[in-house]
Amino acid sequence: AYAALSSEPPAPKDDATKFKLEEKHPGARHRIPPPVTPPAVPPLIDGSVVHDAVMSFPRGSSGGTFGLRPEFLKTFLAQQTASGTMACLTSVVNHMVAGKLPDGTRRYFAGASLTALQKKQGGVRPIAAGETVRRLVSKCVCAQIKTRAADYFKPYQFGVAAPCGIERVIHSARRQFD
């Protein structure tokens, strides 16, 4: 994504760009996420999982709609009084995992800030930067269920919790066809 952002200039903010984007995603601006049915017993996310998820964001990650960049969270957690910040952040993550966001706010947390980049051939490339807090919650939930998901999907998939999965597929295919 960084290479795409650095090699293509932003598209102008005009009706032509808007039309090109709407051609790619007709009616997308009218979609509202459906209400979420929380699990009967939501998993409790531990503070260490939240901390690791925050630290896993690549340097320079975008801030999404609210502008809260992952780098800010890393800075907050690096402070000596980070225990209060960590407790609050963990509480927010668990609140969201339990499906307790008010209906009116869900669309903002599930949304993304959009940037249109000009392609060399004249088209536009939409780049979406999801909200940081929602991305954090997703990282935490994935970390919690990674082992169970890997066991569930074995041996039929090679992406979830399967280190070097695609490399194994390539090597197996080579052995079959050589």
Side-chain angles (χ1 to χ4, degrees), residues 3-176:
L5 290 173
S6 64
S7 65
E8 297 172 340
K13 289 186 178 183
D14 58 18
D15 289 338
T17 300
K18 182 179 176 187
F19 178 75
K20 288 176 186 176
L21 289 172
E22 287 176 345
E23 274 186 321
K24 290 180 177 286
H25 302 284
R29 64 184 170 170
H30 299 293
R31 276 188 255 150
I32 296 175
V36 176
T37 303
V41 179
L44 185 63
I45 308 293
D46 184 68
S48 64
V49 173
V50 175
H51 181 272
D52 292 348
V54 168
M55 295 307 172
S56 74
F57 279 103
R59 187 176 201 131
S61 292
S62 176
T65 307
F66 297 144
L68 176 65
R69 300 172 81 71
E71 211 58 44
F72 294 157
L73 294 176
K74 289 180 179 184
T75 301
F76 294 147
L77 295 182
Q79 301 302 313
Q80 300 205 349
T81 58
S83 62
T85 304
M86 192 71 245
C88 287
L89 193 54
T90 302
S91 177
V92 167
V93 166
N94 281 306
H95 190 76
M96 290 178 71
V97 168
K100 293 181 180 178
L101 276 180
D103 291 342
T105 63
R106 289 181 182 156
R107 65 185 294 183
Y108 299 105
F109 281 97
S113 62
L114 300 174
T115 302
L117 301 179
Q118 275 185 310
K119 291 183 177 180
K120 292 176 184 169
Q121 303 84 3
V124 293
R125 178 186 321 280
I127 303 293
E131 183 51 47
T132 300
V133 177
R134 193 242 345 123
R135 289 165 43 209
L136 173 64
V137 171
S138 297
K139 285 175 173 272
C140 292
V141 170
C142 286
Q144 288 284 104
I145 66 165
K146 185 171 153 180
T147 305
R148 286 193 335 229
D151 291 343
Y152 179 79
F153 288 115
K154 273 183 191 169
Y156 303 108
Q157 67 81 37
F158 299 94
V160 176
C164 303
I166 195 66
E167 287 85 356
R168 292 193 322 233
V169 170
I170 291 168
H171 291 300
S172 295
R174 280 187 184 155
R175 281 193 296 271
Q176 291 293 322

